[in-house]
Amino acid sequence: MAAIAAARSESDLLDAKGRFFGKKGAVSGILKGVAGLPVEERKAIGDLANRARAELESAFDARLAGIREQERGRSEGRERIDVTLPGRAPMPGHRHPVSQTMSDILSAFRRLGFSVQCGPDVETDYYNFEALNFPPEHPARDMQDTFYVESGTGDLVLRTHTSPVQIRTMERRKPPVRIIAPGTVYRSDSDITHSPMFHQVEGLAVDRDITMADLKGLLTEFCRMTFGPTTPVRFRPSYFPFTEPSAEMDIRCVLCGGSGCRVCKESGWLEILGAGMVDPMVFGFVGYDPEEYAGFAFGMGIERIAMLRHGISDIRLLFENDIRFLSQF
Ligand code: FA5
């Protein structure tokens, strides 16, 4: 009885049971010995021994139930859910700096009277190049290092710019046209200011009496809205097959303030867009009369603008998806 009472766990208790009731156990020994007793003692000793065994067995069963009950209580205590503890708040996300910049740019142009148009990422050679006055084999095609898509016909590309949306829009509509076209574009480019996949916003305005002064005025106003009224901007002559004359627009490097750094390649300026007056050849492809209408177009790189706004020195940071970097914006 003392051994049963002293057992602290189920295995202690089974040990004790083995010692008394096992083949060579004390109780088993007594029960076996009863048979060898003189007849007159056999009945009395036998009764006593059986009673003792029954008492021990029921003490054993009671202790076993008690130990199991205790263990259940202990594990329930360990596993209990405290419904009064505060929950774990999910980390709130926010828009990627490229998406933020994109939507700011779109809303600036919407306020300036432009509406949004989209086009496909996988384009035909005709829309990406030919209708934009890049004839086959023309050296201007080398300005954009193109990813070609295996298509059997050999004329599909991942669009290298958003300019094909100009053609798609003018094919569908008569002037006046005032659209912007945001989207993803692809080039085989990779360094601290160029990535193989990036974003552009295209702009196109066609109407009677549109001049280069309208283009300069619009883009200067856009830069004021996006970079603040005091950021210096400049226009440089440039070349695109689908605009004539063509220009590129730079803003003062916000990382070095113009003194020269790795990002602006020591020039103090960062190119943000290409632009120009729509070439009459392009109007020929879409059936607009160049004697009646004139237009301007521009295309800007969104990553470049996000980098300038936030002082980011390497374009690749925008695509590595390191939360420590992204959570700063
Ligand atoms: C163009 O893509 C012309 N379609 C722009 C245009 C539109 C000119 C309408 C005239 C009229 P460009 O190749 O220069 O031009 O690219 C435009 C902008 O995209 C650049 O100023 C730059 O900001 C950005 N850009 C170009 N390549 C990359 C690249 N690999 N990674 C990130 N940004 C890039």
Side-chain angles (χ1 to χ4, degrees):
M1 283 299 197
I4 288 171
R8 288 280 154 263
S9 65
E10 207 168 317
S11 71
D12 277 357
L13 193 62
L14 291 174
D15 268 0
K17 188 179 184 187
R19 267 183 281 133
F20 298 107
F21 295 101
K23 264 196 180 144
K24 294 192 176 142
V27 178
S28 315
I30 292 170
L31 289 170
K32 262 189 235 148
V34 171
L37 290 173
V39 185
E40 57 279 16
E41 289 176 20
R42 201 181 293 164
K43 184 169 177 340
I45 301 287
D47 282 349
L48 274 174
N50 276 329
R51 221 181 317 133
R53 181 178 63 178
E55 269 174 40
L56 284 169
E57 271 176 355
S58 70
F60 173 85
D61 288 345
R63 183 75 194 121
L64 183 63
I67 284 173
R68 284 186 174 161
E69 185 62 28
Q70 265 176 2
E71 277 179 1
R72 193 169 53 236
R74 243 183 269 136
S75 76
E76 274 173 5
R78 264 200 313 273
E79 288 160 16
R80 207 179 62 222
I81 294 168
D82 182 351
V83 294
T84 67
L85 280 175
R88 267 181 228 137
M91 198 168 74
H94 64 71
R95 301 183 78 191
H96 189 281
V98 171
S99 308
Q100 287 173 24
T101 303
M102 179 71 97
S103 73
D104 292 349
I105 290 172
L106 297 186
S107 65
F109 283 111
R110 277 206 201 94
R111 269 179 282 153
L112 294 165
F114 287 71
S115 64
V116 174
Q117 287 290 314
C118 293
D121 285 18
V122 181
E123 259 304 358
T124 59
D125 187 276
Y126 177 77
Y127 286 107
N128 197 81
F129 291 124
E130 217 168 315
L132 289 161
N133 201 26
F134 290 83
E137 314 302 332
H138 192 283
R141 289 196 176 204
D142 293 344
M143 291 163 73
Q144 303 177 351
D145 206 343
T146 310
F147 289 118
Y148 289 87
V149 177
E150 280 181 20
S151 63
T153 54
D155 72 341
L156 290 184
V157 298
L158 294 184
R159 65 176 175 187
T160 54
H161 51 180
T162 42
S163 302
V165 185
Q166 291 185 34
I167 306 298
R168 290 181 175 276
T169 305
M170 289 190 282
E171 279 182 345
R172 279 200 313 268
R173 285 201 204 165
K174 292 285 152 234
V177 169
R178 267 180 190 70
I179 58 121
I180 41 170
T184 316
V185 301
Y186 309 84
R187 294 184 197 179
S188 181
D189 261 354
S190 187
D191 63 38
I192 63 167
T193 55
H194 294 83
S195 70
M197 186 281 302
F198 59 103
H199 299 82
Q200 288 188 339
V201 168
E202 189 81 9
L204 173 71
V206 183
D207 207 340
R208 295 189 171 88
D209 304 324
I210 284 204
T211 70
M212 188 97 180
D214 297 316
L215 171 65
K216 289 185 73 173
L218 176 82
L219 293 177
T220 306
E221 182 54 27
F222 162 74
C223 284
R224 269 200 214 116
M225 290 163 89
T226 309
F227 301 107
T230 55
T231 307
V233 300
R234 73 175 187 187
F235 289 85
R236 274 181 295 109
S238 183
Y239 171 76
F240 297 100
F242 42 98
T243 48
E244 180 59 36
S246 302
E248 278 174 314
M249 189 183 193
D250 300 336
I251 72 164
R252 177 52 49 82
C253 179
V254 287
L255 287 161
C256 65
S259 60
C261 68
R262 199 161 83 103
V263 173
C264 62
K265 302 209 171 72
E266 307 302 329
S267 71
W269 295 94
L270 274 160
E271 173 201 316
I272 56 164
L273 59 85
M277 300 306 290
V278 179
D279 194 302
M281 285 289 284
V282 173
F283 283 157
F285 280 101
V286 297
Y288 283 10
D289 179 359
E291 298 299 323
E292 192 178 355
Y293 294 109
F296 64 73
F298 56 88
M300 64 185 78
I302 308 308
E303 283 73 13
R304 201 61 65 75
I305 293 174
M307 289 167 77
L308 291 170
R309 290 170 95 200
H310 298 298
I312 298 166
S313 60
D314 189 331
I315 195 170
R316 291 166 291 201
L317 289 166
L318 291 170
F319 301 113
E320 283 167 358
N321 287 334
D322 185 332
I323 297 290
R324 291 168 302 179
F325 169 77
L326 292 175
S327 61
Q328 298 174 75
F329 305 103

